[in-house]
Amino acid sequence: MTFYDYGILIDNDTKFVLFGIPWDYLTSIKAPNSSIAPKKIREVTFDLALTTELGLLIPNLKVVDIGDVKIIHKEIKANLKEIKNFVDQIYEKNKYIIPVMIGGDHFCTFPVFKAIGKNLENKETLGILLFDSHLDLYNEWDKRVYSHATVTHRIYDLDYVNNKNLLIVGTRDIDIPEIEIAKSENITYFNSYILSDIGLDKYINNIITFYKSSGIESLYISIDIDVLDPSIAPATGFPIPGGFTYREFWKILKRISKEFKIIGFDLVEVAPNLDLSNHITSNLAAKLIIEFISFISIK
Ligand SMILES: [Mn+2]
């Protein structure tokens, strides 16, 4: 039994729906295989214990795993449509559901967040928080507007997203075109080194203040696994030193869940082919997903 298998069908009781997007065509790395991450992350949970760190029983968390979106590797248009329909179907069954997506490369976040936004009645108080070592803010990458390196830009282009409700946290590998876009658009990001300068509590307070000062009450959260330090999350395409520890990130998610209504989240960019033989990165991803779900549950 995996963490996420407790229930087969979505019903009125279901709080969380987990699904995978096995798609890594839009990554810029040459030998990616984040497409197998949804399968791998589910698989490692067979060997993990069935309570969370705070002692919650995982079977009680009401997570239903509805499987993966059907992806045809190079068919961008068809896949975007398929992902949209997949998310729409979830809300048709229960409009209070919290979708949890496992990628795939980071571009998978865009169609999911877009579909979630479409299904939400009140977008005035909605924000998006991206945890990432990169800004992913290129306008184009390799002459393509759809790429994991442009995902923040595509999200920013949505009519309900602006520089008051979008924040990137954990950054430490920012390219010149991205810094120029961030400057001209006044997009806020918190570099990861600031955490060691001001301490974790203040760092989290700054995240909270960013959203509260513009009236944001609910958040969609996207976790690029590369926001964590590569010493604990080596299996990702662009491992950048200086990332969060597991405990720092755990505490960030815990506080954010208390302060805001989390309407959905994703975890992307785990590349199991780059992992150690003991699956350290997939284990980390599996733990983060279930811990985050538990924080949202106990709010
Ligand atoms: Mn990213």
Side-chain angles (χ1 to χ4, degrees):
M1 200 58 110
T2 78
F3 277 1
Y4 321 110
D5 262 351
Y6 294 93
I8 297 158
L9 295 167
I10 301 171
D11 59 30
N12 292 336
D13 257 8
T14 311
K15 277 192 183 164
F16 300 91
V17 158
L18 182 121
F19 65 99
I21 304 185
W23 191 24
D24 54 21
Y25 179 55
L26 294 170
T27 181
S28 56
I29 190 173
K30 290 215 167 55
N33 78 346
S34 62
S35 59
I36 67 156
K39 183 172 174 271
K40 189 74 200 171
I41 290 168
R42 287 178 177 106
E43 234 171 65
V44 295
T45 67
F46 280 100
D47 295 324
L48 296 171
L50 286 178
T51 66
T52 70
E53 288 202 58
L54 298 175
L56 276 83
L57 310 189
I58 290 172
N60 292 346
L61 292 173
K62 309 262 182 200
V63 187
V64 172
D65 184 348
I66 53 168
D68 290 349
V69 180
K70 281 197 187 73
I71 292 295
I72 309 162
H73 191 57
K74 291 185 179 174
E75 299 288 326
I76 300 173
K77 239 183 165 180
N79 291 340
L80 291 177
K81 205 172 162 203
E82 193 71 30
I83 294 167
K84 182 199 173 288
N85 293 342
F86 196 93
V87 174
D88 284 349
Q89 276 173 36
I90 296 173
Y91 285 109
E92 269 164 32
K93 289 179 185 123
N94 177 341
K95 66 176 185 166
Y96 301 106
I97 211 97
I98 299 174
V100 177
M101 180 270 280
I102 308 179
D105 70 57
H106 209 162
F107 188 76
C108 297
T109 301
F110 173 67
V112 170
F113 179 66
K114 192 177 168 191
I116 288 177
K118 255 202 174 146
N119 280 283
L120 279 189
E121 277 155 26
N122 182 9
K123 285 191 277 291
E124 319 258 282
T125 56
L126 172 67
I128 175 159
L129 170 53
L130 300 121
F131 290 104
D132 204 312
S133 69
H134 306 92
L135 288 179
D136 293 349
L137 206 48
Y138 291 95
N139 188 35
E140 287 184 10
W141 179 266
D142 214 7
K143 294 186 183 140
R144 291 195 299 204
V145 289
Y146 288 167
S147 157
H148 76 154
T150 68
V151 66
T152 309
H153 205 126
R154 296 294 79 83
I155 289 168
Y156 182 71
D157 288 342
L158 294 168
D159 56 9
Y160 49 91
V161 179
N162 55 59
N163 60 16
K164 299 270 184 286
N165 62 20
L166 176 143
L167 173 68
I168 309 128
V169 171
T171 42
R172 55 195 193 277
D173 188 45
I174 300 173
D175 206 359
I176 295 169
E178 297 179 288
I179 215 162
E180 282 166 357
I181 291 166
K183 238 184 223 162
S184 66
E185 294 295 323
N186 218 356
I187 292 170
T188 307
Y189 54 94
F190 296 160
N191 279 328
S192 62
Y193 80 88
I194 306 282
L195 191 153
S196 56
D197 278 3
I198 64 173
L200 186 58
D201 286 345
K202 272 196 187 153
Y203 195 75
I204 302 174
N205 287 346
N206 289 348
I207 298 172
I208 294 166
T209 307
F210 173 85
Y211 291 107
K212 295 246 158 144
S213 61
S214 44
I216 302 303
E217 291 165 8
S218 56
L219 283 182
Y220 180 85
I221 294 189
S222 179
I223 303 167
D224 186 321
I225 199 72
D226 73 20
V227 79
L228 290 141
D229 195 77
S231 58
I232 54 165
T236 194
F238 297 95
I240 308 295
F244 299 142
T245 67
Y246 169 75
R247 188 61 63 208
E248 285 164 347
F249 194 51
W250 186 87
K251 284 187 172 172
I252 292 172
L253 293 177
K254 188 159 171 269
R255 282 265 321 273
I256 300 288
S257 310
K258 252 193 192 144
E259 298 285 342
F260 299 96
K261 184 176 175 214
I262 310 299
I263 55 126
F265 75 90
D266 65 57
L267 191 149
V268 297
E269 295 286 349
V270 173
N273 64 330
L274 302 172
D275 214 352
L276 304 186
S277 57
N278 62 3
H279 327 297
I280 175 174
T281 315
S282 291
N283 271 1
L284 173 77
K287 282 283 187 190
L288 278 176
I289 290 169
I290 205 68
E291 292 291 316
F292 194 13
I293 284 174
S294 80
F295 299 150
I296 299 167
S297 291
I298 57 176
K299 194 199 154 141

